[in-house]
Amino acid sequence: MNDKLLPLDIGPLNPTGWGLVIGFVSFAIVYAVLAGRLLPRAAAIMAEREAKTQGVMDAADEVRTEAEEVRAQREAILAEARHEAAHTRQRAHEEGTALIAAAREEGLREKERIIAEGAAAIEAEKVVAEAALRNDVDNWAHSLAERIVGEPVPAPSEGRANG
């Protein structure tokens, strides 16, 4: 009888009946050992690793969420600080502008006062100078008239008093 399972000549790949039975029994024993002992341990280790991994991922998500909240708070604080700084700059600019305008106004008032004092002083000196020149002009005119005429001419105040 032919022990070969298949009627073809395919070499060692064509098992015999008993070889096939021994192979199935060996497979069943190995499967039973693996399924009974190794696969549950492997499944437990994988489940434990999965739990640890999930725990770490959950913790990372919590940390990420907390970091995002802190970042949002920091952004809000920075935005508020920027707003306050802009407000302070605006207020300082307005105060500076007001101080410059006040100083300019004070300078203009001081200029007007100095100009008015100078004009009054010039006017007073002009009056004094005109009075001094009038006396000198009368004397020079009298002296010139005497030179031109060649004789003594009575002084205008003398002529008016006599006339």
Side-chain angles (χ1 to χ4, degrees):
M1 175 161 134
N2 188 0
D3 260 353
K4 301 281 185 188
L5 192 57
L6 297 173
L8 303 170
D9 185 23
I10 53 175
L13 294 179
N14 197 356
T16 60
W18 288 107
L20 196 55
V21 170
I22 291 173
F24 278 132
V25 170
S26 297
F27 176 76
I29 291 171
V30 169
Y31 181 77
V33 169
L34 285 176
R37 295 224 180 235
L38 291 170
L39 291 179
R41 284 184 187 170
I45 289 172
M46 288 178 64
E48 182 181 337
R49 286 184 182 173
E50 180 69 27
K52 285 182 181 178
T53 303
Q54 188 62 38
V56 169
M57 288 175 55
D58 291 342
D61 286 341
E62 288 176 13
V63 169
R64 186 177 298 121
T65 303
E66 186 177 323
E68 287 175 1
E69 289 174 2
V70 169
R71 190 182 87 231
Q73 290 174 352
R74 188 191 78 215
E75 294 282 333
I77 290 170
L78 285 174
E80 184 179 334
R82 285 186 195 110
H83 178 70
E84 184 64 29
H87 183 67
T88 302
R89 277 193 308 270
Q90 179 65 28
R91 194 171 58 234
H93 177 71
E94 290 170 359
E95 289 175 4
T97 303
L99 288 174
I100 289 170
R104 184 174 288 140
E105 225 175 87
E106 179 66 26
L108 289 175
R109 280 196 301 267
E110 185 68 18
K111 179 183 94 171
E112 292 298 323
R113 183 187 65 78
I114 291 171
I115 289 174
E117 287 177 1
I122 289 172
E123 188 63 31
E125 288 176 13
K126 179 181 167 187
V127 168
V128 170
E130 281 180 359
L133 285 177
R134 279 193 206 286
N135 284 336
D136 288 343
V137 167
D138 286 344
N139 290 337
W140 288 344
H142 185 262
S143 173
L144 186 62
E146 284 180 348
R147 275 190 192 169
I148 291 176
V149 173
E151 322 181 344
V153 177
S157 57
E158 294 173 7
R160 288 183 197 148
N162 293 337

